[in-house]
Amino acid sequence: MSPRDRYFVPMAAPRVRTDQGAKTQVRVGVLGLGNVGGALVELIATNADAIEARSGVRLDIAKIAVRDLKRGRDKALLPECLTKDAHEVVSDETIDIVVELIGGLEPARTLVLEALAAGKQVVTANKELLANFGPELFDAAGKSGSALLFEGSVGGAIPLVRALRVSLAGEHIRRVMGIVNGTTNYILSQMSEEKVSYKDALVEAQSLGYAERDPTADVAGFDAAAKAAILAGIAFNARIGLSEVYREGIETINVSDIDFAHRLGYEVKLLAIAERIETAVPEPPRIAVRVHPAMLPTTHPLAGVRGAFNAVFVEGESSGELMFYGRGAGGKATASAVLGDLLDAACDVGSSARESHLSRVHVTIDPIDNLRTQYYLTVDVLDRPGVLASVATVFGMHDVSIRSMEQVGLGEDARLVFITHMAREADVQATLGGLRALDVVEHIGGLIRVVGHEL
Ligand SMILES: NC(=O)c1ccc[n+]([C@@H]2O[C@H](COP(=O)([O-])OP(=O)(O)OC[C@H]3O[C@@H](n4cnc5c(N)ncnc54)[C@H](OP(=O)(O)O)[C@@H]3O)[C@@H](O)[C@H]2O)c1
């Protein structure tokens, strides 16, 4: 018995409900054969027997759509199944499940809609698509009675979506907070541990293949925001669009900010946070969703997540605190999550398909202005008499109380580092506006919100 066979030990009872008419042989159409698509096809082709022994489902890859047929590809990637016409795959009546691994918005959106309209189950790992068109796609899935599964879209290999959607379906979730972008976590880890500048850490991330040549989607927080929208949607049983997620990236963070955080017993992480705001009137639920750099106590489990790893910390009323950790990206890791969805969807093929997921609870999104927390901010000022007093006056005018202030450097390089007491975001933003208007203020550095116990 090979190690792989040992891993795929046959389950006591097959998951496929053959008694209800589910098929044991399922034909799969794959859209896209890149990092994830290629790894998925290879995984299925090499493990088909073991997968069948374990799950009772035989996955047959019927067709694979690519953009460029002339591209050299490995024989393991089933060149005989390739087509340039993705519509041919979604309209093929013999195909039961379509796996969308093209990425981006179009033609992915149209293809997924076509597949759902044709009554096929759909699996995707496309966070951008879900964050932008989730409501339309889930409506289409609901109408056709097909499943739309998306485990690979958040947290790569980490079984997170199913855990929130199924295992924690009855749980009153208070907060989901995670490191969901490996590129920014790698950069911040390098800055924290090796004291390299943001720029150098980014170049290193690019050379290792963690960051794209244009890193905007990662470093400006767009990728994390798309995942935050998806996570918030599952955790709070709602439909939350990308435009409802407040977003900031890590571009303004520097090593001195991180060093300062260390002195206070904190680590700096880019966090995606979705939380329920407890209000006197419980309906509709009030939800806050945001992505921004945060100072997190070094004792918090998320503070220890290093390099390109991802982790999501869930706080539930009955479950207490849970943490999900693993590889958040990579073709093979993501293909593992996609395969799980594929087998899940295969269980519904031929039987009366279940209702689609992500229901329709109406929620109110709490604006970022309402956030109350402590803030770290740096202000570069001219070293002149009276500067401190005028800066402090601006804080006071906007009801932002200063917990501590430290001056770093002298003369032209004077930098004031502030930690506020608990303050309202709207007041802090008004303070920043007031500070910018002072002629003694040269530059306002990164604003970092404090998460966790009060400083
Ligand atoms: N890579 C990761 O680590 C990761 C992790 C989590 C989620 N995801 C998500 O998974 C999805 C796929 O990512 P990826 O990294 O595998 O992308 P990728 O490497 O760029 O692969 C994209 C594939 O789609 C094909 N394609 C593009 N346009 C097409 C069209 N119009 N018709 C048919 N095929 C088309 C390309 O064909 P050619 O091969 O001919 O160019 C390529 O095979 C994305 O939504 C991504 O966000 C990726």
Side-chain angles (χ1 to χ4, degrees), residues 210-223:
Y210 292 150
E212 304 278 331
R213 201 175 301 167
D214 174 2
T216 314
D218 292 319
V219 298
F222 289 103
D223 174 82

Side-chain angles (χ1 to χ4, degrees), residues 195-223:
K195 306 295 170 209
V196 292
S197 69
Y198 166 75
K199 248 185 172 168
D200 288 349
L202 172 58
V203 169
E204 208 180 319
Q206 285 169 319
S207 73
L208 290 170
Y210 292 150
E212 304 278 331
R213 201 175 301 167
D214 174 2
T216 314
D218 292 319
V219 298
F222 289 103
D223 174 82

Side-chain angles (χ1 to χ4, degrees), residues 280-305:
V281 186
E283 294 297 331
R286 237 184 145 72
I287 306 297
V289 198
R290 57 187 191 274
V291 168
H292 54 70
M295 275 172 44
L296 197 64
T298 46
T299 49
H300 193 286
L302 285 175
V305 176

Side-chain angles (χ1 to χ4, degrees), residues 369 375 377 391 393-400 423-438 444 447:
D369 276 356
Y375 294 79
L377 72 142
V391 167
T393 304
V394 175
F395 278 80
M397 271 166 55
H398 297 287
D399 250 357
V400 177
R424 210 172 141 250
E425 175 85 21
D427 297 334
V428 172
Q429 292 300 338
T431 304
L432 295 183
L435 290 174
R436 281 188 199 105
L438 291 182
I444 297 176
L447 175 83

